[in-house]
Amino acid sequence: GAVVSQHPSWVICKSGTSVKIECRSLDFQATTMFWYRQFPKQSLMLMATSNEGSKATYEQGVEKDKFLINHASLTLSTLTVTSAHPEDSSFYICSATLGQSRVWDTEAFFGQGTRLTVV
Amino acid sequence: ELKVEQNPLFLSMQEGKNYTIYCNYSTTSDRLYWYRQDPGKSLESLFVLLSNGAVKQEGRLMASLDTKARLSTLHITAAVHDLSATYFCAVEGGGSQGNLIFGKGTKLSVKP
């Protein structure tokens, strides 16, 4: 399957600082990427949909000014957690789809995830 | 609101036994996904079920989809310890394709 690379795998930051997480599709172009958040022992919750060249679409309850998403190219989306606080500590996972032209191309491929710890 | 419900949420089983995980969803969807997650890791795609009646098998795992009943099952045959993980089902939530709504996951523990 297609490969999605996420970086960094883990990060520890001080409260009040900002952290950037990168999500890259390595061997395909992804017009759409998704960002999920997973708290310990819980399921994945969609945070936002990232579309290349346009503003991200955020799910209800997700602060767009706190979780900045930029999808500058067809292979890269970034999530910046601004002014991070301990409650932002979580596992963040991105996914990307090949496209929408064929049914099987809509399968989502997931990055390795980033464990963020805010101290 | 689209809901995806899995049961059981926790499953402890002995090696060699069979069991089934169930995934119900609340809206029409002809596509369902099963993923495996190991502790501290991301998701590994297991199955993509694309149509009513679809059945797929990989090793000791077999998944099926009944779109009329809005039900998918993940059947485990003769479980082994290596299958211990958390299993998630997911359906598309609408909007952009690839936008997935996940069940709460089933934590499977296979004991010798």
Side-chain angles (χ1 to χ4, degrees):
Chain A
V3 179
V4 176
S5 177
Q6 203 172 326
H7 178 80
S9 298
W10 59 270
V11 58
I12 302 173
C13 72
K14 291 185 177 181
S15 186
T17 61
S18 296
V19 174
K20 180 185 284 188
I21 303 169
E22 293 186 348
C23 180
R24 294 182 184 272
S25 55
L26 295 186
D27 49 4
F28 67 100
Q29 293 184 331
T31 54
T32 304
M33 292 184 176
F34 303 89
W35 289 95
Y36 294 84
R37 181 174 181 175
Q38 185 181 31
F39 289 109
K41 301 184 189 297
Q42 295 190 24
S43 188
L44 283 76
M45 299 297 293
L46 180 67
M47 298 175 66
T49 302
S50 170
N51 295 295
E52 186 267 335
S54 64
K55 291 184 178 180
T57 303
Y58 291 82
E59 295 299 302
Q60 193 173 10
V62 178
E63 299 175 61
K64 62 180 180 181
D65 294 331
K66 180 170 188 60
F67 298 100
L68 300 179
I69 292 173
N70 184 274
H71 195 149
S73 76
L74 288 172
T75 58
L76 174 64
S77 175
T78 60
L79 168 67
T80 301
V81 183
T82 63
S83 187
H85 291 283
E87 55 265 30
D88 298 324
S89 298
S90 186
F91 193 51
Y92 293 87
I93 308 176
C94 71
S95 74
T97 57
L98 286 164
Q100 300 182 16
S101 59
R102 295 177 292 180
V103 169
W104 54 87
D105 282 351
T106 62
E107 180 178 0
F109 299 94
F110 287 83
Q112 304 96 315
T114 297
R115 184 158 306 283
L116 170 64
T117 302
V118 184
V119 297
Chain B
E1 180 187 352
L2 172 60
K3 291 184 179 180
V4 180
E5 296 185 351
Q6 271 181 253
N7 72 84
L9 298 182
F10 299 93
L11 178 55
S12 180
M13 54 191 299
Q14 285 190 313
E15 282 190 328
K17 298 293 186 181
N18 304 332
Y19 210 85
T20 301
I21 299 171
Y22 298 89
C23 176
N24 290 90
Y25 52 97
S26 63
T27 191
T28 56
S29 177
D30 58 0
R31 193 172 304 147
L32 188 134
Y33 305 83
W34 283 97
Y35 293 92
R36 168 181 172 147
Q37 185 178 38
D38 291 295
K41 304 291 185 182
S42 189
L43 300 181
E44 174 189 353
S45 179
L46 294 175
F47 301 107
V48 181
L49 302 171
L50 295 175
S51 62
N52 185 42
V55 177
K56 289 191 175 181
Q57 183 165 4
E58 182 71 34
R60 300 174 187 274
L61 301 178
M62 183 173 71
S64 65
L65 178 62
D66 181 343
T67 58
K68 293 181 181 178
R70 300 180 185 174
L71 170 69
S72 180
T73 61
L74 180 65
H75 187 74
I76 303 158
T77 302
V80 293
H81 179 69
D82 285 351
L83 290 179
S84 297
T86 299
Y87 293 85
F88 292 95
C89 65
V91 297
E92 290 191 346
S96 297
Q97 290 174 312
N99 161 6
L100 299 178
I101 305 299
F102 285 83
K104 291 187 175 181
T106 297
K107 185 174 182 178
L108 172 65
S109 176
V110 181
K111 302 184 184 302

